[in-house]
Amino acid sequence: MDESDTAAILPGEVLNAPSADDQMSDSVDHKDEAGVPSTGFVRPPCTWSLPVSVEPVLFLSMFSLALQAPLSTQYLWDRISEDLGYNGSKRSECTNGSLPPDPLQKEVETLTAHWNLYISLGGFSVGLLVVPLLGSWSDLAGRRPVLILPNLGLALQAVVYLVVMYLKLPVVYFLVGRLLSGLSGDFNAILAGCFAYVADISDRKSRTFRVAVLEACLGLSGMLASIIGGQWRRAQGYINPFWLVLATNLVSALYAYVFVRESVQPDPSAKLFTTRHHKAVWHLYSTGGSSSEGGGRFHRCKLWLYTLCFFLVVTVHFGSRELYVLYELSSPLCWGPALIGYGSAAQHLAYLSSLLGLRIMQHCLEDSWVAVVGLVSNIIGLLVVSVANTTQLMFTGYGLCFLFMASTPVLRSKLSKLVDPSEQGALFASVACVESLCFLAGSGVFNSLYPATLHFMKGFPFLFAAIILLIPAGIIGTLQCLDQRRDHGDSTAS
C-alpha cells in the first residue's frame, strides 16, 4: 500500500478528538529532516463520534491470537511426539509421583519449549524494527492502515500454519509464518494503532477509561478464546479452529476498512520506509517529545519512569500468569481441568471488575491513586496465592486480585498525556515493543525462578512478583505527590 492509497482510504472522513487543551496543541510546527517528523497542519475538530470505535478490531485480533497460541503449542507437542515416537500422556506428580521420569517425554517438552522460544524470538526481533516504523508513520499517514495491514499479516500467518498442518510440513515453517506476520507489524502494531486511535478521539478526562475499555476487550476475548479453543480441539482437532483464526483476522481487517473512520488527517507525502520514523521514537524518549517545550528534564524523567512502571507491572502479569496452571496442577492443589478452567475464568473476569472499579474510583480519586489501589489489590492477591495450599485459599487470592488490571490503563493514559498529539503513534508503538519485551522477560525470569525455588518455597515466584510491584506503586505515588506540590506552588505564585 503506497501513500496515495493511504490518503484515499476514506476521503473526507476524519475523526479527531477533542478537548480545548488538546486542540490548542494540535497545531504542529514543521521539523527539519534531522528532527522528528510532523504533520505540519492543524487537525480538524471532532465532528463525529461513537461509543464504539476500534474496540471490535482489538477484540477480534486478540481473539484470534488467544485462540491460536495454545493450539500451536499443543500442535508442536503432538508433531514432535510423533516424530520422536513418544505416545505417552503428560504425567502429573499428583497421580504418578511414584513413576520414574520418562526421558522421551522430557525431550519432547524441551524441544517444544525451544521451538516456542524460537518462534517468539523471531516475531519479536522483526517486530522490534517494524512496529516503531508503523507507529510513527501512522502519525502522518493515518491510523487505519496500521489496523488493516497487521491483521492481513496475521491472516497470512494462519494460512501458513494451515498449510503446515494439511501437508504435515516440518515445524520450522511455523517460524516462517511468524516472521511474515512480524514483517506486517504483528499484533503489537494493532495494539499501538488502537491505543493511539483512542488517544486521538478522547479528551484528557475520559482517556483513562477509554483505554481501560480496550484492555477489558483484551481480557474478555482471551477468556472466550480459551473456552472455545480447548473444547474445539478435543472435538475436531487443530485445523478447523485455525480456519476460525484466519476468518477472524480477515473480519477484523474488513471492519477497520469499512467502519473505522480516520482520526488523523492523512499526509499524502508521508513515506513509510525512512529513518525519520525511528528518529521520532528516539526523539520522544531522549528529549521528552515535542510537548516538553525544551525545559523538560522532569517531563522526560516522568516519561521514563512511567515506562519503567509499565514494564515492571506487565512483566509481573505475563510472568505470573504462565505459572498459575503449573502451580495448580501440582501438589498440594492437584487441580483437574474443571478447576483450572474456573481459575482461568476468575483471572479474566478481573478485567471487568477492574474496569468497573476504575470507573467508580475515578469519581473520588486521581488516576494515579487508582493505579496504586490496583497495584495494592494485585500485591495482596499474589501474597495469598504464594501460600495457597487449598482450593479455597487459591480462589481467595484470585478474588483479592479483582482490581489488578486498574493500573495499566492509567499508565498508558499517563504516557499518552505526556506527549504531543502528533506523537501518539510513536509512543504507543514504543509501548507495544516494551510489552513484547515484558513477555520475554516475564517468561524467562519466572519460568527459571519457579524450579529453582521449589525446594524451599513453591509459591516464591508469586511472593517475588508482589515485592516487584512495590516499586511501581512507590514511583506512581511519588510522582503524583510531586505533581500536586508543583500545582500547589503554581497556584500560590499566581
Side-chain angles (χ1 to χ4, degrees):
M1 181 180 291
D2 59 23
E3 289 76 33
S4 60
D5 292 334
T6 303
I9 282 178
L10 200 59
E13 302 279 10
V14 180
L15 167 66
N16 190 42
S19 67
D21 291 341
D22 288 342
Q23 289 178 12
M24 289 178 64
S25 62
D26 278 348
S27 182
V28 184
D29 294 333
H30 282 293
K31 306 289 180 183
D32 58 25
E33 185 67 27
V36 59
S38 64
T39 57
F41 48 77
V42 180
R43 295 181 185 176
C46 178
T47 58
W48 177 91
S49 64
L50 279 178
V52 175
S53 54
V54 291
E55 287 82 3
V57 176
L58 191 61
F59 183 93
L60 291 170
S61 301
M62 181 62 194
F63 177 87
S64 71
L65 186 71
L67 183 63
Q68 73 173 347
L71 292 178
S72 59
T73 300
Q74 293 174 70
Y75 180 82
L76 285 172
W77 172 280
D78 288 346
R79 277 296 306 275
I80 292 171
S81 298
E82 183 181 342
D83 293 343
L84 294 179
Y86 174 71
N87 58 5
S89 60
K90 192 174 181 181
R91 297 179 295 187
S92 167
E93 64 179 90
C94 293
T95 56
N96 297 297
S98 60
L99 296 176
D102 188 337
L104 201 55
Q105 177 181 313
K106 186 175 181 181
E107 186 176 359
V108 171
E109 289 177 333
T110 302
L111 285 174
T112 302
H114 283 173
W115 275 111
N116 263 334
L117 178 63
Y118 301 150
I119 291 168
S120 296
L121 284 177
F124 172 74
S125 58
V126 175
L128 198 61
L129 296 174
V130 175
V131 174
L133 187 74
L134 290 174
S136 182
W137 178 62
S138 74
D139 287 327
L140 302 174
R143 309 294 183 205
R144 295 173 72 249
V146 182
L147 301 177
I148 297 169
L149 291 176
N151 269 303
L152 296 178
L154 287 168
L156 180 59
Q157 174 183 304
V159 170
V160 173
Y161 281 21
L162 283 168
V163 171
V164 171
M165 293 174 187
Y166 273 114
L167 302 180
K168 290 197 171 181
L169 298 176
V171 295
V172 68
Y173 286 100
F174 270 23
L175 177 59
V176 174
R178 191 75 176 81
L179 291 174
L180 290 174
S181 175
L183 288 172
S184 68
D186 204 48
F187 180 71
N188 286 329
I190 299 172
L191 270 182
C194 287
F195 283 113
Y197 189 97
V198 164
D200 291 337
I201 67 172
S202 60
D203 57 30
R204 297 174 68 86
K205 184 177 180 180
S206 65
R207 189 168 303 168
T208 301
F209 182 71
R210 291 298 300 267
V211 169
V213 170
L214 281 181
E215 297 217 359
C217 289
L218 294 174
L220 289 177
S221 58
M223 179 175 64
L224 183 62
S226 299
I227 294 171
I228 293 175
Q231 301 293 334
W232 200 356
R233 187 200 70 81
R234 281 192 289 271
Q236 296 185 351
Y238 296 101
I239 290 178
N240 286 343
F242 267 90
W243 277 110
L244 179 60
V245 170
L246 173 61
T248 303
N249 287 128
L250 292 176
V251 169
S252 180
L254 182 63
Y255 176 91
Y257 182 79
V258 175
F259 294 107
V260 176
R261 295 192 177 187
E262 188 54 81
S263 63
V264 173
Q265 181 74 46
D267 182 0
S269 64
K271 295 180 181 180
L272 174 59
F273 298 106
T274 172
T275 59
R276 296 180 68 192
H277 300 311
H278 287 105
K279 288 179 180 177
V281 177
W282 171 252
H283 175 268
L284 199 63
Y285 281 92
S286 62
T287 67
S290 301
S291 61
S292 62
E293 297 180 355
R297 177 175 294 183
F298 180 66
H299 186 96
R300 184 172 68 251
C301 287
K302 286 174 67 175
L303 194 64
W304 278 101
L305 287 172
Y306 281 131
T307 302
L308 173 63
C309 292
F310 183 84
F311 173 81
L312 293 174
V313 171
V314 178
T315 297
V316 166
H317 288 176
F318 281 139
S320 59
R321 187 174 63 187
E322 290 201 350
L323 296 183
Y324 278 118
V325 173
L326 190 58
Y327 189 73
E328 293 158 357
L329 276 171
S330 55
S331 177
L333 294 175
C334 298
W335 282 9
L339 281 174
I340 290 175
Y342 293 143
S344 177
Q347 277 185 285
H348 286 97
L349 283 175
Y351 282 83
L352 280 182
S353 58
S354 297
L355 177 65
L356 180 61
L358 183 145
R359 189 61 167 172
I360 294 172
M361 286 189 291
Q362 278 188 316
H363 291 294
C364 54
L365 293 174
E366 295 285 344
D367 282 355
S368 293
W369 301 125
V370 172
V372 171
V373 171
L375 289 171
V376 170
S377 168
N378 201 353
I379 290 168
I380 295 173
L382 287 169
L383 288 175
V384 172
V385 168
S386 70
V387 296
N389 54 8
T390 65
T391 296
Q392 292 81 1
L393 200 56
M394 190 69 187
F395 276 106
T396 300
Y398 279 137
L400 290 171
C401 284
F402 75 108
L403 292 175
F404 88 106
M405 285 305 299
S407 56
T408 48
V410 171
L411 289 170
R412 291 186 200 267
S413 178
K414 289 281 187 183
L415 288 167
S416 172
K417 293 172 184 177
L418 286 172
V419 303
D420 195 82
S422 65
E423 298 169 320
Q424 297 293 334
L427 170 74
F428 283 108
S430 306
V431 171
C433 290
V434 169
E435 205 158 351
S436 290
L437 187 60
C438 292
F439 175 78
L440 294 176
S443 179
V445 170
F446 282 85
N447 281 311
S448 301
L449 194 62
Y450 185 76
T453 57
L454 279 174
H455 64 284
F456 69 90
M457 183 180 179
K458 187 173 184 179
F460 180 79
F462 301 108
L463 176 61
F464 176 74
I467 294 171
I468 290 296
L469 289 182
L470 292 173
I471 300 173
I475 292 174
I476 294 170
T478 301
L479 289 177
Q480 178 62 24
C481 290
L482 290 175
D483 283 339
Q484 289 176 344
R485 185 178 299 175
R486 286 163 62 94
D487 292 341
H488 179 70
D490 292 342
S491 62
T492 303
S494 61

